[in-house]
Amino acid sequence: MNAAPNLAPGAALEVTDLRVGYDGVPALFGVGLRVEAGQIVALVGGNGNGKSTTLRAVAGLNAADTGRIVFAGRDITRLPAYERVPLGLSLVPEGRRLFPRLTVRRNLELGAFARPSGESIEAGIAETFALFPILEEREQQLAGTMSGGEQQMLAIARGLMAQPRLLMLDEPTWGIAPKFVTKVL
């Protein structure tokens, strides 16, 4: 799956002085980061340190009180989440957030809603099945009946179906058995 198309050299993502709060209570204080094209970056810290809030703000799910978020040279700070996905931002949230009463296939198809026009959803599903063969075996199974590791693979695969330029994984190994950690990573 072409999950990381070529980006121009330089920052794929730049966050400057980001401040986010919940109901008037500050949660992030002046966060800044820069992710270069092709780079893998990890946010590390204890619970409650703002990792998820940072990712949610970049994805547009948490509004920035102040600061700036620039993706591929475009200021997206005030852009709603649904407009960020077609630009190439994809977030796999903590806790997977699958549609448990839908099949594996339907979850994958829903991940492709913002796929560039003309791009084959079937080709994306085939690439996903090559990456995670267990998902092909479970194609008609309801997502909510799968193991935690299988659900995490599905959540990541669904995120890849949008053909993102930047894939953000929040707690990618959360709640899964150690034998699946290596496969997920």
Side-chain angles (χ1 to χ4, degrees), residues 1 3 92 98 104-105 108 123-139 146 148-161 167 169 172-173 176 179-185:
M1 183 172 306
V92 176
L98 297 171
V104 166
R105 174 172 271 282
L108 292 173
I125 289 175
E127 291 172 5
T128 294
F129 288 163
L131 185 61
F132 297 111
I134 192 71
L135 297 181
E136 184 171 20
E137 293 175 30
R138 307 272 194 267
E139 181 177 1
M146 298 167 54
E150 292 167 348
Q151 287 184 19
Q152 190 65 34
M153 288 180 220
L154 177 56
I156 293 169
R158 184 182 63 190
L160 289 170
M161 285 296 295
L167 178 66
L169 306 173
T173 60
I176 63 172
K179 70 179 184 175
F180 283 110
V181 169
T182 301
K183 181 67 175 172
V184 166
L185 295 176

Side-chain angles (χ1 to χ4, degrees), residues 10-89:
L13 174 70
E14 192 159 9
V15 177
T16 309
D17 195 28
L18 182 65
R19 296 172 190 266
V20 176
Y22 293 100
D23 296 324
V25 178
L28 295 180
F29 308 90
V31 170
L33 61 94
R34 181 181 172 101
V35 179
E36 302 292 331
Q39 190 176 35
I40 297 172
V41 174
L43 298 178
V44 180
N47 290 339
N49 282 339
K51 301 176 302 293
S52 294
T53 300
T54 300
L55 293 178
R56 289 176 54 83
V58 170
L61 300 173
N62 287 9
D65 294 332
T66 64
R68 189 168 180 214
I69 302 168
V70 176
F71 177 65
R74 179 176 176 181
D75 187 337
I76 62 169
T77 309
R78 301 287 173 233
L79 208 59
Y82 66 88
E83 290 183 21
R84 294 180 194 203
V85 175
L87 294 177
L89 275 174

Side-chain angles (χ1 to χ4, degrees), residues 88-106:
L89 275 174
S90 186
L91 172 65
V92 176
E94 179 179 5
R96 301 180 280 271
R97 308 291 169 99
L98 297 171
F99 297 97
R101 294 183 178 180
L102 297 181
T103 64
V104 166
R105 174 172 271 282
R106 281 301 285 151

